[in-house]
Amino acid sequence: MTSQITRFVFLISLLTNFTTLNASVYDDDVLEIFSKILPRFVLMDNQKTKLKDEIDICILHNLVDERSALSLIDKINNNYPHGLKNYKIKFTHDNYSNIATCKDSQLIFLFNSSDKEIADALLFAKKQKSLTVSYDDALLSRGVEISLFLGRKIVPYINIKALQKNGMEMDNLLLRISKIYIEMDK
């Protein structure tokens, strides 16, 4: 009887740990919101004049976040099965260590990572003239250009200084409906 109880407790413990390890730290509803607006961000910045026939979105993540990255891609495909305004939507997703796969992307979406990987991604995006968007609005303080403000209303959260520093311009309509990130003195 004791061995059966021990096995049962072990099984419950194993299932709890397995479920916890596979749980995402990213909210599915927030990913759904990002899926609806990411392609539109490209059409609302100064890169729209460079577009030929597709919007290229690169999603950078760590191995642990790959499932969330693939979920975001699926959500965008479900929202825009035929593309957006005559533009196909192309995706690249990879680990931060393979950032060179984002070289043709107009937008780079960042899941959380180490300080060094975020800094490297931001430097890469600046050189490529790619717009950066992050799931975590705390990355605005590091130089990411856009995130979401989750308050009574969910609105784009824009780092104007980062946009200007990187030579990016956004449509005035987007700026009017957004919350503007104000950098705090350090």
Side-chain angles (χ1 to χ4, degrees):
M1 177 82 170
T2 306
S3 67
Q4 286 178 333
I5 292 173
T6 306
R7 277 191 231 153
F8 180 74
V9 169
F10 175 75
L11 259 171
I12 295 297
S13 168
L14 187 62
L15 284 172
T16 303
N17 287 337
F18 182 73
T19 304
T20 304
L21 289 174
N22 285 322
S24 174
V25 297
Y26 301 101
D27 185 277
D28 203 48
D29 291 332
V30 175
L31 288 175
E32 180 67 33
I33 294 166
F34 272 113
S35 74
K36 292 176 180 176
I37 61 176
L38 286 177
R40 294 184 180 282
F41 284 150
V42 174
L43 295 179
M44 296 184 92
D45 76 1
N46 58 344
Q47 296 185 81
K48 67 182 167 218
T49 58
K50 300 178 200 172
L51 291 176
K52 292 189 174 47
D53 61 347
E54 63 187 17
I55 296 170
D56 191 326
I57 297 173
C58 183
I59 300 173
L60 290 175
H61 57 83
N62 290 315
L63 187 58
V64 70
D65 297 325
E66 184 172 20
R67 187 174 289 169
S68 295
L70 292 172
S71 174
L72 178 59
I73 291 170
D74 286 344
K75 290 174 185 317
I76 295 171
N77 280 328
N78 288 338
N79 286 319
Y80 301 103
H82 305 291
L84 176 63
K85 294 191 177 188
N86 298 323
Y87 297 106
K88 295 177 190 170
I89 301 175
K90 177 185 169 198
F91 299 98
T92 306
H93 76 91
D94 215 327
N95 294 320
Y96 279 88
S97 58
N98 297 324
I99 194 167
T101 59
C102 298
K103 68 179 172 51
D104 295 324
S105 300
Q106 291 90 28
L107 185 144
I108 299 175
F109 185 83
L110 308 172
F111 280 101
N112 288 336
S113 190
S114 71
D115 289 346
K116 182 182 179 344
E117 288 177 324
I118 295 295
D120 290 347
L122 291 172
L123 184 61
F124 179 86
K126 182 178 181 180
K127 288 178 184 174
Q128 298 298 315
K129 299 278 189 219
S130 298
L131 184 65
T132 56
V133 181
S134 68
Y135 179 92
D136 186 354
D137 67 351
L139 294 180
L140 292 169
S141 68
R142 307 272 310 285
V144 168
E145 295 151 334
I146 302 176
S147 188
L148 286 180
F149 180 79
L150 306 172
R152 285 184 300 190
K153 293 196 305 187
I154 298 171
V155 295
Y157 201 10
I158 299 180
N159 183 338
I160 297 288
K161 284 186 180 179
L163 284 170
Q164 291 170 341
K165 181 179 173 185
N166 297 331
M168 304 297 272
E169 295 175 15
M170 299 305 293
D171 189 288
N172 284 333
L173 174 65
L174 180 61
L175 294 174
R176 279 190 298 234
I177 66 167
S178 299
K179 178 172 175 60
I180 304 302
Y181 171 76
I182 307 294
E183 188 172 357
M184 299 295 183
D185 291 330
K186 296 178 182 173

